[in-house]
Amino acid sequence: MIPGIPALPYSAHSSERTGCTPDTEWFRTAVFYEVLLRAYADSNGDGFGDFPGLSSRLDYLAWLGVDAIWIPPFYPSPLRDGGYDIADYTAVDPRYGTLDDFDALVEAAHARGIRVVIDLVLNHTSDAHPWFQASRTDPDGPYGNFYVWADDDRGYDQTRIIFVDTEDSNWSFDEVRGQYYWHRFFSHQPDLNYDEPAVFEAVADLIRFWAERGVDGFRLDAIPYLIEREGTNCENLPGTHDIIARIRALLDAEYPGVITIAEANQMPEEVVEFFGTEERPECTMCFHFPIMPRIYLSLREGSPRSIRQVLAETPSIPAHGQWGTFLRNHDELTLEMVSDEERALMYGWYAPEPRMRANVGIRRRLASLLGDSRAEIELAHALLLSLPGSPCLYYGDEVLMGENIWLADRDAVRTPMQWDSSANMGFSAVSDASRLSLPLIEAEGYAQRNVADALADPASFLHTLRGMLAVRRQHPVLGTGDFELIDAGDERILAYLRRGKDSGTDADAAAGRPAGEVLVCVANLADEAVAGRLSVGEWDASAVRPLLSVGEGARAVSSSLGEDGALEIALPARGFQWFAVERALA
Ligand code: GLC
């Protein structure tokens, strides 16, 4: 029970919160929340967050308005890569609880209408995995060919290194087998060899294992790299797409409705390949990596130039697909998808201290990145929640948590959730704070922030965000609708239509189709007030209704009807608004 959060039976959104519907399109209107189990809530006082702890916080997530949680790896692991180094795919690391605790979490989440997405790390295992141990000791045995082995380290030399901070080659020598093995990430994470058919069969079995336990989706970790071929950069190869299509076919045949979300940190024209085609679908969702840094870039440029550009470069996607959007996650804020010039600018703006950087990116959290500017934080969320795709929040950002740049690597942004002002910020009852999975942050101002205080303050960002999520919930077109950039008469304003499929065009009306929903979203990226005018075309500008109240972040945006029927808008610095355009049907 969390003070300030009603226990079940749940009151807010009660009609929608009576359990998960069988709707297979749920992901289109869903708001996701990434929760690091290790850092969320410790139920047994051992210093590690765990499944019972997360289960005890589901009422909070339901209150906030979250539709799905994504839980990064919780499997047994040496934890040398935050758990993405998996030593056993079909068990729960004892520090997080048991399989029964996992089942209880799924059941409790579903009872609240919250779906559960877990991570599937297909590309590599930990070197502690029994498959690797067997492969290195028994090359002729059943696992001998499970990894990518070679006699020298010269192969695939056109392949980039991803973890540039720690690795200088994608090959490492194994003393036991006397050969080199291939790894796209840390040297303790050997890549699986998908040219060996038994590897896919083994992966198929572990997909079934978790799907049987009722998960609603899998985030497919690091999927561009599954197959290697000489003379290529070993990314997005046809064989890799074959494997993802086979996973989709398996799920569609055996567990229809279970979604896959691609982690492919690439430009839009490459990422769309991971949706596959109508005939041969691959992923249900793909994270849109390039748009994320451009939201931050735009705020400092005071112009949505780069957002417009990347949206223009984003191809349309097959009908089964949906983008996933995010502002932060458990990794560095990756700057791989911006130009060299933009990256240099962003490092200067957002990571002035070298310690704030990691690999090709920035290891800081949302609130501190944006200098704690409430207006910028709200504007970033207004974009996140209204641009095409389903948004994913990162735990702790809703209470404006900060980072600890004195911790190694990406641990800077993986510190314990701050629930209240009691010992260990309510995360854990462990008496010796040195046993916490990671130390709490100490940064001035940030260390005190917590859920309980934010709940008690009606003006907190937590309440603002909840209000925005509620408005989004009332307007499914923000998840399902078409997207069209429109002119707002001033370059600094990003304006777009979100339009339902049968949205009351003249053609619709002539065909007797009912008018669908149309929203106009406007955002002023500039740090000064801006005026603009919108021509809302064949819709009736006199029937324009603002949806967000000031309490929900929209800062006193005023609108009026111009003489020619256009909508005149005045946006304060960083102001935004979503308008419903109600077509006056004769
Ligand atoms: C993914 C994860 C990241 C991890 C990497 C290697 O990119 O998001 O945290 O380090 O895969 O497993």
Side-chain angles (χ1 to χ4, degrees), residues 70 81 84-85 119 121 124 163 185-186 189 219 221-222 263 329-331 410 414:
W70 152 33
D81 181 18
Y84 282 89
D85 47 330
D119 241 286
V121 184
H124 47 269
F163 284 168
F185 294 92
F186 289 120
Q189 287 166 317
R219 169 190 180 265
D221 181 69
E263 188 216 14
N329 63 20
H330 66 286
D331 286 325
R410 292 152 292 164
R414 299 173 179 177

Side-chain angles (χ1 to χ4, degrees), residues 219-404:
R219 169 190 180 265
L220 304 184
D221 181 69
I223 47 165
Y225 319 118
L226 303 183
I227 289 275
E228 301 75 30
R229 288 292 176 267
E230 213 51 77
T232 74
N233 66 0
C234 294
E235 301 191 5
N236 304 6
L237 297 181
T240 292
H241 286 287
D242 286 345
I243 289 159
I244 299 161
R246 287 174 68 192
I247 291 174
R248 179 75 264 150
L250 182 159
L251 289 171
D252 285 346
E254 300 177 32
Y255 305 97
V258 172
I259 67 164
T260 50
I261 309 178
E263 188 216 14
N265 183 2
Q266 301 180 334
M267 289 308 282
E269 67 274 16
E270 293 171 314
V271 178
V272 287
E273 293 176 17
F274 289 101
F275 285 113
T277 59
E278 307 278 344
E279 297 72 41
R280 200 181 73 141
E282 293 183 31
C283 290
T284 322
M285 290 176 59
C286 294
F287 281 121
H288 198 311
F289 275 87
I291 202 157
M292 181 275 297
R294 286 171 177 79
I295 292 176
Y296 294 90
L297 181 66
S298 293
L299 287 169
R300 289 295 162 269
E301 286 190 336
S303 157
R305 170 199 68 82
S306 63
I307 298 179
R308 275 198 203 101
Q309 188 186 339
V310 80
L311 288 169
E313 287 166 10
T314 300
S316 59
I317 59 177
H320 65 261
Q322 172 85 337
W323 288 109
T325 50
F326 62 103
L327 296 170
R328 287 298 292 115
N329 63 20
H330 66 286
D331 286 325
E332 69 274 23
L333 189 168
T334 170
L335 297 178
E336 282 176 301
M337 293 303 119
V338 295
S339 69
D340 292 349
E341 208 173 294
E342 290 168 333
R343 188 176 312 118
L345 284 169
M346 290 187 73
Y347 274 140
W349 287 324
Y350 288 117
E353 294 178 39
R355 183 171 278 284
M356 295 172 169
R357 306 174 188 182
N359 300 314
V360 187
I362 302 171
R363 50 195 205 104
R364 301 185 70 194
R365 269 190 180 264
L366 177 81
S368 50
L369 279 162
L370 297 183
D372 250 351
S373 156
R374 181 72 180 264
E376 291 182 14
I377 292 166
E378 290 177 0
L379 174 55
H381 280 84
L383 295 172
L384 176 77
L385 297 176
S386 60
L387 286 170
S390 296
C392 185
L393 308 169
Y394 185 49
Y395 85 98
D397 282 347
E398 75 272 26
V399 290
L400 309 179
M401 271 171 60
E403 67 277 343
N404 181 348

Side-chain angles (χ1 to χ4, degrees), residues 1 13 32 135 185 200 217 367 400 404 460 511 528 541 543:
M1 175 77 197
H13 314 302
F32 293 73
S135 197
F185 294 92
F200 184 84
L400 309 179
N404 181 348
S460 67
E528 59 193 340

